[in-house]
């Protein structure tokens, strides 16, 4: 992948994130469901790619896609399309 292709993909993701933030409905299951950063999540099978979401109710979001919320020492997460969508326990670290 070239630098231009990478930057184009990142710009597309940033625009989509803005669109999701603007169209989210507060007080519903969609609240806080937009990607903010990616990282690694430790699962029972080892480390995997994760996307942090800021929903007040990760269990309701997981239910919408037929997933089960799992817990580890620092985060709650569910697997969807081989990606771990996670929320830190007790808030966002270093915020």
């Amino acid at each position: 992948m070239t630098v231009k292709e990478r930057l184009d993909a990142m710009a597309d993701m940033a625009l989509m994130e803005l669109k999701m933030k603007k169209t989210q409905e507060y007080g519903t299951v969609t609240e806080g469901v937009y990607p903010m950063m990616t990282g690694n999540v430790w699962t029972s099978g080892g480390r995997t790619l994760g996307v942090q979401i800021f929903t007040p109710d990760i269990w309701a979001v997981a239910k919408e896609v037929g997933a089960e919320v799992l817990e580890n020492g620092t985060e709650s997460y569910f697997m969807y399309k081989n990606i771990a969508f996670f929320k830190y326990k007790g808030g966002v670290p270093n915020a």
Side-chain angles (χ1 to χ4, degrees):
M1 190 175 235
T2 67
V3 171
K4 184 181 181 319
E5 289 170 331
R6 286 175 185 268
L7 291 177
D8 287 345
M10 291 168 66
D12 290 345
M13 287 186 288
L15 291 173
M16 183 55 70
E17 180 180 333
L18 285 174
K19 182 178 178 181
M20 284 189 270
K21 284 181 181 177
K22 288 179 182 176
T23 60
Q24 90 173 321
E25 297 176 32
Y26 295 93
T28 69
V29 72
T30 65
E31 183 177 344
V33 180
Y34 51 83
M36 285 298 292
M37 67 183 230
T38 59
N40 290 313
V41 174
W42 287 99
T43 68
S44 59
R47 199 168 68 174
T48 189
L49 177 65
V51 175
Q52 183 177 9
I53 56 177
F54 293 89
T55 177
D57 190 351
I58 194 168
W59 295 269
V61 175
K63 183 179 177 184
E64 287 287 319
V65 295
E68 176 185 359
V69 174
L70 305 167
E71 308 271 342
N72 65 27
T74 57
E75 62 235 349
S76 300
Y77 69 94
F78 63 89
M79 298 299 295
Y80 180 66
K81 294 191 175 184
N82 295 322
I83 305 277
F85 290 85
F86 69 95
K87 178 180 179 178
Y88 284 108
K89 293 180 181 178
V92 181
N94 303 322

